[in-house]
């Protein structure tokens, strides 16, 4: 763990790591055998890590999803795929770098990769608009998905955005319409589609590239109709209530997996993907490959129907019967 980027709840761990570094320095500079003390601190670090990271609150997972050292889309693309050839532009207005996409190989098979990328340095963040796409970003994504469907390439999307860009320019160019068209068109593609939420999955901005046969999510990512700050501002008129909003929204990986919103949770290294990007990328790759292997067995018609049923069956609508009993609406109909 880089102490420079330690989060608030990681402070106990940071103190122990500082102690360990100090003991190593004393041992090296003064030629003193401190191996017993070092082993004791290492053991305490291990137990503290387990205590912290196995009992994370929803808000703490949001903090990990936003960690400045967390791997972003291009980091995963570099590790998971080979021969990535980025394609640019929506052929109508401009190239939106908040969405990157192009052809690549996954275990030797040609695929189309589309992802939301935030950028790490200030220059990169500005170039990629902090991962918040304009409408032309969604139109570029749709252009690439149509190309994939035409040539029978599986589509893999990596979701990582707080939401579509909400500014005036975005509204002028009809961002809601662009997202809506993507939802409609993705539902009709006869090629396999796998989406993975790698960080933040915010509202329609995320869903605009995530109408998939299978949706996966990394352990410390979240997928929600609204950010916790936005929810807090609406419900409590106070963005400081974001931790309470995160708890109420139930948007963590395990919660939404139980609700059927996602199909699988991908484990991360202890402390988050940023602590071991290579292992995180391997876990992501293995999960995507496993899902694609199953989807490739389906015909185009079966893929479309499976995708339709997947979204049709999310959530349970209840109905009160004449005797006062509450049952799911599908049971009431029968």
């Amino acid at each position: 763990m880089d102490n420079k980027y330690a989060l608030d709840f990681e402070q106990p761990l940071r103190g122990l790591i500082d102690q360990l570094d100090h003991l190593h320095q004393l041992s090296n500079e003064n030629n003193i055998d401190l191996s017993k003390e070092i082993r004791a601190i290492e053991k305490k670090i291990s137990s503290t890590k387990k205590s912290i990271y196995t009992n994370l609150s929803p808000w703490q997972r949001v903090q990990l999803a936003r960690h400045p050292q967390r791997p972003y889309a291009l980091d995963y693309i570099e590790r998971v795929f080979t021969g990535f050839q980025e394609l640019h532009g929506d052929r109508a207005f401009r190239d939106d770098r908040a969405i990157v996409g192009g052809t690549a190989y996954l275990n030797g098979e040609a695929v189309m990769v589309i992802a939301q990328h935030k950028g790490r340095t200030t220059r990169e963040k500005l170039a990629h608009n902090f991962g918040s796409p304009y409408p032309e970003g969604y139109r570029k994504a749709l252009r690439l998905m149509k190309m994939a469907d035409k040539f029978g390439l599986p589509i893999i999307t990596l979701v990582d955005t707080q939401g579509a860009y909400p500014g005036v320019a975005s509204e002028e160019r009809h961002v809601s319409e662009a997202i809506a068209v993507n939802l409609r068109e993705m539902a009709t593609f006869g090629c396999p589609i796998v989406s993975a939420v790698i960080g933040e999955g915010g509202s329609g901005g995320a869903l605009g590239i995530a109408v998939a046969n299978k949706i996966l999510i990394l352990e410390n990512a979240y997928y929600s109709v609204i950010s916790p700050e936005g929810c807090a501002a609406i419900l409590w008129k106070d963005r400081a209530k974001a931790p309470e909003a995160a708890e109420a929204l139930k948007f963590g990986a395990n919660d939404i997996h139980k609700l059927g919103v996602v199909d699988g949770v991908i484990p991360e290294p202890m402390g988050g993907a940023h602590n071991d990007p290579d292992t995180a990328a391997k876990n992501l790759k293995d999960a995507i490959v496993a899902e694609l292997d199953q989807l490739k067995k389906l015909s185009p018609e079966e893929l479309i129907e499976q995708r339709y049923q997947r979204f049709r069956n999310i959530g349970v609508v209840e109905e009160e019967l004449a005797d006062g009993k509450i049952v799911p609406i599908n049971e009431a109909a029968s």
Side-chain angles (χ1 to χ4, degrees):
M1 181 180 71
D2 188 339
N3 282 357
K4 179 181 177 183
Y5 296 103
L7 300 170
D8 291 343
F9 62 88
E10 296 175 316
Q11 293 303 322
L13 189 57
R14 183 167 70 173
L16 290 171
I17 291 174
D18 286 340
Q19 291 181 40
L20 181 63
D21 291 341
H22 182 62
L23 287 175
H24 279 299
Q25 186 177 356
L26 280 178
S27 178
N28 293 332
E29 291 179 354
N30 300 292
N31 198 25
I32 304 173
D33 183 10
L34 297 174
S35 56
K36 183 178 179 181
E37 289 81 1
I38 288 172
R39 284 196 299 271
I41 290 291
E42 288 176 338
K43 185 176 180 181
K44 194 168 184 180
I45 287 173
S46 178
S47 63
T48 302
K49 278 184 176 181
K50 186 175 181 180
S51 174
I52 290 174
Y53 296 120
T54 56
N55 296 288
L56 292 172
S57 69
W59 178 244
Q60 288 168 342
R61 292 194 186 276
V62 170
Q63 291 177 285
L64 285 177
R66 296 172 175 173
H67 197 285
Q69 290 187 310
R70 190 173 178 85
Y72 294 139
L74 289 177
D75 300 312
Y76 284 116
I77 288 173
E78 179 184 0
R79 289 170 169 83
V80 173
F81 305 94
T82 57
F84 176 62
Q85 180 65 53
E86 186 174 357
L87 302 173
H88 299 274
D90 67 342
R91 298 297 186 268
F93 186 70
R94 66 163 188 166
D95 183 39
D96 181 4
R97 299 301 310 285
I99 288 186
V100 297
T103 54
Y105 291 99
L106 178 63
N107 286 350
E109 179 185 5
V111 297
M112 182 68 76
V113 184
I114 298 165
Q116 291 153 334
H117 185 69
K118 292 180 174 179
R120 195 166 305 282
T121 66
T122 300
R123 186 185 297 273
E124 289 175 351
K125 289 176 180 177
L126 291 171
H128 294 278
N129 202 36
F130 298 84
S132 292
Y134 286 89
E136 51 268 24
Y138 293 103
R139 291 176 181 131
K140 173 171 72 172
L142 182 58
R143 180 175 76 84
L144 300 186
M145 287 188 280
K146 285 182 175 180
M147 183 188 302
D149 187 50
K150 178 178 180 179
F151 293 104
L153 303 180
I155 298 170
I156 298 166
T157 69
L158 304 180
V159 175
D160 190 11
T161 182
Q162 289 192 15
Y165 182 64
V168 173
S170 201
E171 294 296 336
E172 286 177 340
R173 298 195 290 276
H174 310 295
V175 65
S176 297
E177 182 264 353
I179 292 173
V181 169
N182 278 26
L183 306 188
R184 182 192 68 197
E185 294 299 311
M186 289 186 76
T188 68
F189 293 146
C191 57
I193 307 176
V194 176
S195 293
V197 183
I198 60 174
E200 297 185 88
S203 192
L207 194 59
I209 62 167
V211 180
N213 295 94
K214 295 292 182 179
I215 300 177
L216 307 170
I217 186 169
L218 286 174
E219 181 182 355
N220 293 313
Y222 76 87
Y223 194 29
S224 175
V225 297
I226 194 171
S227 70
E229 291 89 349
C231 177
I234 293 171
L235 294 183
W236 292 285
K237 313 301 181 186
D238 183 2
R239 293 172 68 87
K241 295 283 189 181
E244 289 90 333
E247 185 74 39
L249 284 166
K250 301 294 183 185
F251 56 25
N254 291 323
D255 285 325
I256 60 175
H257 185 221
K258 291 175 183 177
L259 293 171
V261 177
V262 297
D263 302 288
V265 178
I266 303 170
E268 295 185 27
M270 181 69 75
H274 59 282
N275 284 324
D276 189 350
D278 291 336
T279 297
K282 181 183 182 301
N283 294 345
L284 176 64
K285 179 179 181 178
D286 290 345
I288 290 173
V289 169
E291 296 294 354
L292 277 182
D293 285 345
Q294 295 302 312
L295 292 174
K296 285 186 290 187
K297 298 175 183 178
L298 303 179
S299 68
E301 293 75 20
E302 289 171 328
L303 286 168
I304 293 170
E305 179 63 19
Q306 188 272 345
R307 197 177 307 131
Y308 171 80
Q309 293 298 336
R310 188 202 177 283
F311 284 89
R312 186 71 179 83
N313 293 322
I314 290 177
V316 177
V317 179
E318 295 180 334
E319 180 173 312
E320 184 175 358
L321 301 182
D323 59 2
K325 183 179 179 182
I326 303 295
V327 298
I329 199 167
N330 58 335
E331 292 184 15
S334 61

